[in-house]
Amino acid sequence: MPMSDRFHRQCRLLRAGALVVFTGLFLLLAMGMVGLPWRMATDMPEGWNTRALLSVVRFLPGIGYLWALWAVQRALADLSAGRLFHPTVARAMRHIGIGVLAGALVNVFAVTNLSRWIAGGTGGYLYFDMSGIVLGVVGAALILLARLVDQARALQAELDEIV
């Protein structure tokens, strides 16, 4: 059953929105990294190396989240072009899940511990950020659901061969 023109238009519109969000977030992250030398010039108690390492560590979760946003816009581009639904959705779910899970895991575990280690501070080993934990679970679920879509596609192909 072919997808409607309205669906294709909605996919193109949402893809444009996803690209705007991706571009904006990428620029914000990049400006944070590019602005690093100017922030390093300010008089802060930590040394330059410490501040640079902390900025890089805080930048890391954004890479996973940007990967997920890129996967969203790519899936919307495929759907708006009329490409097959099942492979597109399965790949998108898998890539979005990987990006969200990676960003959440890095945010909950690595950022907290690496920041504490780099700055030489004390405190807990885990940062129980509810949104980060929920995003991690959602990312893992998307990866498993993508496997389910792949299995359904294989079963459909097998049934089509029988008929």
Side-chain angles (χ1 to χ4, degrees):
M1 179 162 86
M3 291 183 260
S4 70
D5 288 337
R6 181 178 176 199
F7 179 75
H8 291 282
R9 282 193 308 274
Q10 289 173 338
C11 285
R12 281 190 292 276
L13 184 62
L14 188 54
R15 179 184 184 223
L19 279 172
V20 167
V21 171
F22 175 86
T23 304
L25 290 177
F26 177 79
L27 289 174
L28 285 172
L29 282 172
M31 285 188 321
M33 293 308 291
V34 170
L36 192 59
W38 287 282
R39 285 186 290 157
M40 295 303 137
T42 62
D43 194 19
M44 293 180 71
E46 300 99 14
W48 187 90
N49 292 339
T50 302
R51 286 179 282 185
L53 282 173
L54 285 173
S55 291
V56 169
V57 166
R58 291 181 186 133
F59 174 79
L60 291 176
I63 295 170
Y65 297 139
L66 286 175
W67 169 278
L69 274 174
W70 189 258
V72 167
Q73 72 81 29
R74 187 176 59 211
L76 290 168
D78 288 348
L79 291 173
S80 69
R83 293 198 181 86
L84 292 176
F85 182 77
H86 293 291
T88 298
V89 170
R91 185 186 70 228
M93 290 172 71
R94 185 174 300 106
H95 289 181
I96 293 166
I98 289 169
V100 169
L101 179 61
L105 286 175
V106 168
N107 191 34
V108 171
F109 295 107
V111 170
T112 302
N113 292 317
L114 287 175
S115 296
R116 186 175 50 80
W117 179 70
I118 290 168
T122 60
Y125 289 97
L126 297 176
Y127 174 59
F128 293 103
D129 175 26
M130 187 175 200
S131 62
I133 294 168
V134 169
L135 281 174
V137 172
V138 168
L142 282 173
I143 294 168
L144 290 176
L145 290 172
R147 185 183 304 168
L148 182 66
V149 171
D150 281 335
Q151 290 173 351
R153 184 181 54 176
L155 182 60
Q156 180 66 43
E158 186 176 323
L159 289 174
D160 288 345
E161 287 178 9
I162 293 172
V163 175

